[in-house]
Amino acid sequence: MSAAAGAARRAWAGPGRERDLAVQAVKAALAAWVAWAVAGWWLKAPVAFVAPWVAVVLVESTVYRSIAHGLQQLAAIATGTIAATAVGLLLSSPVAAMAVVLPLAMLLGRWPRLGSQGVYAATGALFVLTGGPVAVGTSAARLAEALFGAVVGIAVNALVRPPLYLRDTEAALRDAVAETDGILRDVADGLTAGRWDAAEAGEWHDRALRLPRLVEQARSAVEWSRESLRANPRRRTGAVPPGEGCEDALAALDYAAVYTAEVTRTVLETAAEDRPAPRPHPALARRYAQFLCRTARALRLYGHSRFGDAREDELREAVADLRGTLTVLRRDLARATTDDPDEVATYGALLAQAHRLTDQLLPSGA
């Protein structure tokens, strides 16, 4: 109950996922009510329940999905209804007809073009065989009411506050950037202070391992936003789909997630009490911490530049500064590295990831 109350408060407080879900629920109820009022109450159709049933399930998360799923669902219902009607008229026993039709309907429902709506082929067949005497007129009415319900569901979803998810996209991208920035700065603070605590390093690494999930959530939000604008009347109000900036941001975040995981893994292994290799010299650790801080700043500015904030000049300066720091760090690491293959491999991997991330933050050069 507390979770439900919290969701209700968030929906009332302002725009967000909870409010979107509440609006979609109300729209689904409205679509079902309109379909039943017309088909059942006004026209008194023989199988009027089909119209609100189809209408309520087609108030989808995007207008495009309502249309696509509506066409697939109508095709599936028509397939099952026609097959069941034909077999039901040939066989006098509904049980025998069901034994023949249902396996066929299930197989037809697996047709890839029907997608997730293929199950309605079997559902349509069951409605025919369990709804009384099989008759062509009743089956035709059932198909007509399914078509009407689909039209109502799609119309309500398209005309009554059609869903858009541009807000969710920006929030997801900002969350991923903020978490990456926070991890890098925490690691930098720890290296600057000379803290080599295994428990703290483990927490940093656990957070870094969750970064790919945040990036994937951001990628999913971008895809949802683009789909929500397809066939959406609200696009005419100036809503712009996520562009190349979002793709660039996702690519940079992918690199940042890999790089951050490598950094935190190295710190965790170095902080382990049973690790035989010596820890980096304090001056070298501070130099690397400085590089991490500048990486975090460049990533943060990169996020601002891709979210519409005019900070391109600052970003170029930050990346140029980051490249200069990277050059110095590479020189210092080369001087400090011994002939130990493990040490060479570790620093080499970190430097390679750092170079890729730096280039990704400003592909055109600084």
Side-chain angles (χ1 to χ4, degrees), residues 2-361:
S2 59
R9 284 194 299 269
R10 289 190 294 272
W12 180 264
R17 177 171 176 77
E18 289 79 8
R19 177 172 289 185
D20 290 339
L21 291 174
V23 170
Q24 289 299 101
V26 172
K27 288 167 58 176
L30 173 63
W33 181 86
V34 170
W36 174 256
V38 174
W41 178 71
W42 183 31
L43 298 178
K44 296 184 177 5
V47 280
F49 73 92
V50 175
W53 170 64
V54 173
V56 74
V57 298
L58 286 184
V59 180
E60 294 268 9
S61 49
T62 65
V63 176
Y64 171 79
R65 191 159 296 199
S66 287
I67 297 173
H69 284 181
L71 294 174
Q72 290 176 328
Q73 187 179 127
L74 287 174
I77 292 174
T79 300
T81 300
I82 292 171
T85 302
V87 175
L89 292 174
L90 292 175
L91 302 178
S92 59
S93 170
V95 177
M98 197 177 297
V100 173
V101 171
L102 286 183
L104 177 62
M106 293 300 295
L107 289 174
L108 291 173
R110 298 285 184 177
W111 189 30
R113 287 187 178 273
L114 295 180
S116 61
Q117 307 303 303
V119 66
Y120 291 106
T123 304
L126 283 173
F127 282 165
V128 171
L129 298 175
T130 60
V134 178
V136 174
T138 303
S139 295
R142 185 176 284 106
L143 291 177
E145 287 150 23
L147 176 60
F148 175 70
V151 170
V152 171
I154 294 171
V156 169
N157 203 31
L159 299 178
V160 181
R161 197 179 180 270
L164 283 174
Y165 298 97
L166 301 180
R167 176 188 63 251
D168 296 341
T169 297
E170 184 171 327
L173 288 168
R174 288 187 184 276
D175 287 346
V177 171
E179 179 63 5
T180 306
D181 174 85
I183 296 171
L184 292 176
R185 289 187 175 278
D186 288 345
V187 175
D189 291 342
L191 294 179
T192 301
R195 298 198 309 269
W196 294 97
D197 181 80
E200 187 177 26
E203 292 178 3
W204 295 335
H205 188 54
D206 288 341
R207 290 171 61 191
L209 292 179
R210 289 193 291 269
L211 281 177
R213 185 176 62 187
L214 290 178
V215 178
E216 189 56 36
Q217 289 174 354
R219 180 172 285 104
S220 177
V222 170
E223 293 172 357
W224 272 103
S225 294
R226 287 175 176 162
E227 183 180 303
S228 71
L229 286 169
R230 299 176 68 179
N232 193 325
R234 289 176 70 184
R235 183 168 184 171
R236 300 173 185 172
T237 63
V240 179
E244 293 183 3
C246 286
E247 295 296 336
D248 293 343
L250 289 171
L253 286 171
D254 277 329
Y255 277 110
V258 173
Y259 173 69
T260 305
E262 291 290 335
V263 170
T264 54
R265 180 182 292 109
T266 300
V267 173
L268 176 60
E269 292 174 350
T270 304
E273 296 180 357
D274 57 348
R275 181 175 173 84
R279 291 171 180 170
H281 188 276
L284 185 60
R286 286 193 294 271
R287 174 73 71 182
Y288 201 83
Q290 184 182 40
F291 173 75
L292 292 180
C293 283
R294 292 182 179 178
T295 300
R297 179 173 181 269
L299 185 64
R300 190 170 63 254
L301 289 172
Y302 181 88
H304 284 299
S305 72
R306 293 302 178 266
F307 301 145
D309 300 336
R311 305 184 72 169
E312 288 287 346
D313 292 340
E314 288 185 66
L315 174 60
R316 291 181 180 276
E317 293 177 3
V319 174
D321 188 29
L322 180 62
R323 285 177 172 164
T325 305
L326 182 59
T327 300
V328 175
L329 177 63
R330 180 175 55 194
R331 183 191 61 205
D332 292 346
L333 288 175
R335 291 175 179 174
T337 301
T338 65
D339 294 333
D340 183 355
D342 292 336
E343 190 174 347
V344 172
T346 297
Y347 286 137
L350 290 177
L351 285 174
Q353 293 291 348
H355 273 292
R356 294 190 188 102
L357 177 60
T358 303
D359 291 339
Q360 189 68 37
L361 290 175

